[in-house]
Structure formats: C-alpha cells, structure tokens
Amino acid sequence: MKLISWNVNGLRACLQKGFLDFFQGEAPDILCLQETKVQAGQVELDLPGYHQYWNYADKKGYSGTAVFTREEPLSVTYHFGDDLHRHEGRVITAEYPGFYLVCCYTPNAQRDLARLDYRMQWEDDFRSYLRELDQVKPVVLCGDLNVAHEEIDLKNPKSNRGNAGFSDEERGKMTELLAAGFADSFRRLYPDRTDAYSWWSYQFKARERNIGWRIDYFIVSERLVPSVAEAGILSGVLGSDHCPVTLELSL
C-alpha cells in the first residue's frame, strides 16, 4: 500500500503547478493533503477511482485537510476532542480494516511562540486521541506536524533553537508521542540520514541551497513498524514550500 502526504500550501495554487500530473503519476492508494486553504465548493477534482474527504476551516483561505483514497474507509470522522479543536479543519480520521489513518495539520506555534500555550494543549489532547485509537487498532498518522524533532531534522539547529517548530516544548511533545507507542517511520529506516528535509522557506533561495526542515511525517504504531517497507521524501516535487512524503506498507 502506497501512501503520500503533502502540505500543498494552497491547493488552488498547487493545481496550477502540476498537482494533477504528480497525483496521476504517483497513483497512490491514499493521498493526504494539508493546508488546502479552500472552502466547500471552491475546488472540484475529477479523480476517477478515488473517494474524496475534505475538512474545511471556518476561516476562509486558512488551514484545511483532505484525504483521497482508493478503498472506501469503514468510517470517516472529522476533527477530534473538545470544541476548541474543531474549527480549523486540521484532522481527518479514516478507518480501514487493518488500521486508522489520521491526516493532521498541526497548529503552528507562530512568531515569538504566540500560540505555544494552545499548541501544548493540542499536543496533549491529540496524543490522548491517538492512544485511544491505538487501543482499537494500529494508527498511521501523517501530515505537517510543524516540528523538527531532533537537530538532524533541520539545517541550522543552533540558530533556530527556541523558534516556532524547534522550541524545546514542541520537541518534547514529539518525544512524548513517540514514547507513547509510536514510531517516526523515516527515522526508523534512516536514523543517520542528513540533509533530508520536507519544508524550505521561500526566502534566501533556501530550497535551492537545501536549507530546510523535516516537519512532515508518517508516524506509525510500534506494532506496524515491521510492515513499513519504505518511507521517503520527494524533495524534487515542486508546487509548494513543502514536498510530499511517502510511506509504503506491506499489510
């Protein structure tokens, strides 16, 4: 089974930059999108053979997630937890016979960590949600999780320490998630691989110079690790400031 996750940073813009050619060329079993930035009815995609599920933010042109899947899920739910987590279109959960798929766009802590308090509550509540799912069947979590976990996961760790996405608090929450019975699929396969990034600033020719961050993930329940055949980063795919990440499962 081939899964792809991509923060498209505005699907309408990405559609003008080769999105459909990429999708048709890769032909994944499941494609998860984050930061679609659309409302209901703003984009109509003709994707024969795929079921489409969309979660929209209340605020126009903001956040949003989508899941396109060949196999119709047993169930699909949107959002999670308390009402405060239910307005930005950040989570879609699709249940399959062998696992739960969770597509997630984690809130950014923002400049000067202005939203860090909310981010910490999100992390705790979302981890509890994932653990509840994991008690029923294994979980595949994917998306832009807005954190570079370790120094190896970004080009300039020293100068970025304490910034949004590389604060000690955010990194600590990722550590807690992994300690709760989950695994970073890419790092399990490639623990020492450097210069492997999924997001680059639009400034200072960062992508051209590969000055990036790895903040897009496939996280799996520990008991799914033996089924992980490959985990990749498609850094050559343009169309967004993020590139797609991939997971191949042998189920």
Side-chain angles (χ1 to χ4, degrees):
M1 176 178 275
K2 179 179 180 180
L3 301 88
I4 297 178
S5 176
W6 193 7
N7 178 324
V8 291
N9 190 16
L11 181 56
R12 286 172 292 180
C14 197
L15 282 166
Q16 305 303 314
K17 300 174 183 177
F19 173 84
L20 289 176
D21 289 339
F22 164 77
F23 180 74
Q24 291 161 1
E26 291 289 336
D29 295 291
I30 302 172
L31 175 66
C32 296
L33 303 181
Q34 302 88 43
E35 207 171 359
T36 54
K37 296 183 179 179
V38 295
Q39 303 298 122
Q42 287 188 317
V43 170
E44 297 291 340
L45 294 180
D46 182 20
L47 304 175
Y50 287 86
H51 303 272
Q52 301 183 33
Y53 303 95
W54 300 79
N55 196 1
Y56 309 106
D58 294 354
K59 179 181 175 182
K60 290 183 178 180
Y62 180 72
S63 189
T65 48
V67 172
F68 308 148
T69 171
R70 291 186 188 274
E71 180 180 349
E72 184 174 5
L74 300 174
S75 66
V76 176
T77 57
Y78 302 91
H79 313 292
F80 76 99
D82 295 337
D83 182 71
L84 78 166
H85 301 314
R86 293 179 168 269
H87 296 277
E88 297 182 355
R90 293 186 177 275
V91 173
I92 300 174
T93 302
E95 180 186 1
Y96 294 92
F99 63 95
Y100 286 105
L101 172 78
V102 182
C103 172
C104 176
Y105 177 37
T106 300
N108 193 299
Q110 299 183 350
R111 186 183 297 275
D112 298 323
L113 303 181
R115 211 182 186 195
L116 184 63
D117 287 347
Y118 174 63
R119 171 67 178 266
M120 294 295 98
Q121 183 169 0
W122 166 284
E123 293 284 356
D124 290 340
D125 293 348
F126 189 56
R127 185 175 64 257
S128 294
Y129 173 65
L130 295 175
R131 293 183 72 177
E132 289 173 9
L133 294 178
D134 188 53
Q135 290 174 4
V136 180
K137 59 180 70 174
V139 174
V140 175
L141 163 66
C142 70
D144 174 3
L145 303 187
N146 259 316
V147 61
H149 185 213
E150 303 288 359
E151 291 192 354
I152 196 175
D153 295 316
L154 72 168
K155 188 69 170 183
N156 295 313
K158 289 182 171 56
S159 60
N160 279 295
R161 185 173 180 186
N163 289 341
F166 199 61
S167 67
D168 292 348
E169 294 88 345
E170 291 164 295
R171 295 171 65 196
K173 292 301 181 185
M174 174 61 88
T175 299
E176 287 185 53
L177 174 62
L178 298 179
F182 298 94
D184 175 350
S185 61
F186 181 81
R187 277 290 167 232
R188 281 298 177 91
L189 292 181
Y190 307 108
D192 302 316
R193 182 169 293 181
T194 59
D195 299 318
Y197 308 126
S198 64
W199 174 81
W200 304 262
S201 169
Y202 280 131
Q203 298 178 303
F204 314 119
K205 297 184 178 179
R207 190 159 189 173
E208 187 178 314
R209 299 160 63 200
N210 199 27
I211 301 173
W213 300 47
R214 190 176 72 93
I215 59 176
D216 300 88
Y217 295 82
F218 272 98
I219 305 288
V220 300
S221 295
E222 279 284 356
R223 61 192 185 280
L224 271 185
V225 170
S227 300
V228 174
E230 181 58 281
I233 301 175
L234 305 181
S235 56
V237 176
L238 305 178
S240 169
D241 52 350
H242 295 249
C243 74
V245 295
T246 67
L247 180 71
E248 292 183 23
L249 287 176
S250 300
L251 295 174

